[in-house]
Amino acid sequence: MSFTSRLSNSWSLFKKSLAVMNAHPRLLVFPAIIFVFTLGILGFFLAPVVLQPTGHSLRDPAHWSAVADSVFTKESIEAERAAPGDRNGNRLVLTPKAMVYAILIYFASMFLATFFATAFYHEILSALQGGEVSIAGGLRFATSKLYAIVLWSLFAGLIGVLIRMLEERVGIIGKWIVRAIGIAWSVASVFAIPIIVSEEEANPIAILKRSAETLRKTWGESLTGFLGIQLGGGLVVIGSVVVFGLVSMLAANLNMPILIIPFAILWVLCLFAFFYTMGVASNIYRCALYLFAARGEVPSYFDRESMDMAWKRKKS
């Protein structure tokens, strides 16, 4: 199958993902609720640092200076003040206490991301299997998977820390190698959450292995599809920038620059809505590929012909 045909088929599958989203509009609400929940929980962790008593009001720069003194080492603060913006050698360094708290927040963030993704993917898979979508049901299911979620969060978080540490300790060529490793990790773990949702496996290494095996079955359609989605999104952004430029020029020629402000607001809102929708549809697309590759099931709103096109070229 040529790249063009593969891209066309991936786009067809993506449009079917939009149909799933249209039939189950609650899937659009899920990411917004996840965002609000995550902000609230992270705010709970950050509040003790930001709101710590310093003897100054929040509007007083002295308060934020005191907060910085409690978070970063005195030596690194002095070095930063002596040469602000110098990233060649100077860098703010966390105090041991702040470092422990930062690690706690980091792994809490990983846990929250995995927990809510598990809830979200459970409802996507439910929709793809002809079921209903329930926000409360998704959260209840994720709660039942706490053990697997905690293990995967710790594992993924540790891998992320190791990659970051390696990247900071190697030269330019080494950085590119480490970044390539990071990309390989992200690609290999692309089906980890659907596996947590659909299977009883809790061992994170086994989950990663299963994800990589599933990806191997779907690599052509997965990578081409996600590439097509990114390419399509990029073209929309470029087109919108061109339109925005033309409208700005028109407003300037009409000597009505005030028109640019409402149009700019509308432009930003439309872009946000576009990428929000694309993000949900991309997750549906990923789950559809997983169901067909891992179970041989044709997801609801899809058809066997379009799904078969993704794998008929592979002989096992």
Side-chain angles (χ1 to χ4, degrees):
M1 182 185 292
S2 67
F3 178 81
T4 303
S5 299
R6 192 181 296 166
L7 193 61
S8 175
N9 186 58
S10 296
W11 180 247
S12 175
L13 292 173
F14 182 70
K15 288 193 293 183
K16 290 177 172 60
S17 300
L18 293 175
V20 176
M21 188 170 52
N22 184 59
H24 298 276
R26 286 183 181 175
L27 291 176
L28 275 171
V29 180
F30 226 110
I33 292 176
I34 290 173
F35 178 72
V36 172
F37 266 92
T38 303
L39 274 186
I41 296 173
L42 289 180
F44 172 80
F45 282 99
L46 293 174
V49 177
V50 175
L51 301 179
Q52 62 179 289
T54 62
H56 306 280
S57 69
L58 292 177
R59 298 186 214 175
D60 191 338
H63 170 79
W64 300 104
S65 179
V67 169
D69 290 339
S70 70
V71 173
F72 303 109
T73 62
K74 181 179 179 181
E75 294 77 10
S76 67
I77 292 176
E78 291 175 349
E80 177 65 23
R81 288 171 178 168
D86 180 10
R87 294 294 174 245
N88 294 323
N90 296 333
R91 187 180 61 175
L92 292 172
V93 178
L94 294 173
T95 64
K97 182 178 179 180
M99 178 66 74
V100 171
Y101 201 67
I103 292 173
L104 175 63
I105 293 176
Y106 172 73
F107 281 104
S109 300
M110 292 296 300
F111 170 78
L112 290 173
T114 307
F115 179 86
F116 287 122
T118 300
F120 187 31
Y121 275 50
H122 178 262
E123 296 312 299
I124 291 176
L125 290 169
S126 175
L128 290 175
Q129 293 173 303
E132 294 298 320
V133 171
S134 166
I135 294 172
L139 295 175
R140 282 195 298 270
F141 176 82
T143 302
S144 71
K145 288 281 187 173
L146 278 181
Y147 182 62
I149 290 172
V150 169
L151 290 182
W152 178 259
S153 300
L154 292 173
F155 178 68
L158 182 59
I159 295 294
V161 169
L162 291 176
I163 291 175
R164 182 63 183 272
M165 290 174 61
L166 284 173
E167 190 173 348
E168 292 180 349
R169 285 166 171 74
V170 296
I172 296 177
I173 296 177
K175 288 183 186 299
W176 284 103
I177 295 174
V178 173
R179 286 171 186 170
I181 294 173
I183 292 173
W185 152 255
S186 298
V187 171
S189 60
V190 71
F191 290 116
I193 302 302
I195 289 170
I196 290 175
V197 172
S198 303
E199 302 181 15
E200 294 302 318
E201 185 61 68
N203 185 332
I205 296 177
I207 290 173
L208 179 63
K209 182 179 178 180
R210 288 279 294 115
S211 176
E213 289 173 351
T214 305
L215 177 68
R216 183 174 54 82
K217 298 178 185 177
T218 70
W219 70 269
E221 213 62 28
S222 294
L223 299 183
T224 305
F226 293 129
L227 176 63
I229 292 168
Q230 295 297 321
L231 178 61
L235 291 175
V236 169
V237 171
I238 293 172
S240 70
V241 170
V242 172
V243 171
F244 182 76
L246 292 174
V247 171
S248 298
M249 291 174 59
L250 178 62
N253 289 334
L254 294 175
N255 199 26
M256 301 177 66
I258 192 66
L259 292 178
I260 298 176
I261 296 176
F263 186 78
I265 294 173
L266 178 63
W267 177 60
V268 171
L269 290 176
C270 288
L271 277 182
F272 174 79
F274 172 75
F275 283 111
Y276 187 93
T277 303
M278 290 280 283
V280 176
S282 296
N283 286 313
I284 295 172
Y285 176 89
R286 180 181 303 181
C287 287
L289 290 179
Y290 167 78
L291 276 179
F292 192 77
R295 299 184 180 183
E297 297 179 13
V298 178
S300 296
Y301 306 95
F302 291 77
D303 58 82
R304 179 165 290 278
E305 181 181 2
S306 62
M307 299 301 293
D308 277 338
M309 285 180 67
W311 292 276
K312 69 179 182 181
R313 63 187 181 283
K314 298 183 190 244
K315 303 296 182 181
S316 56

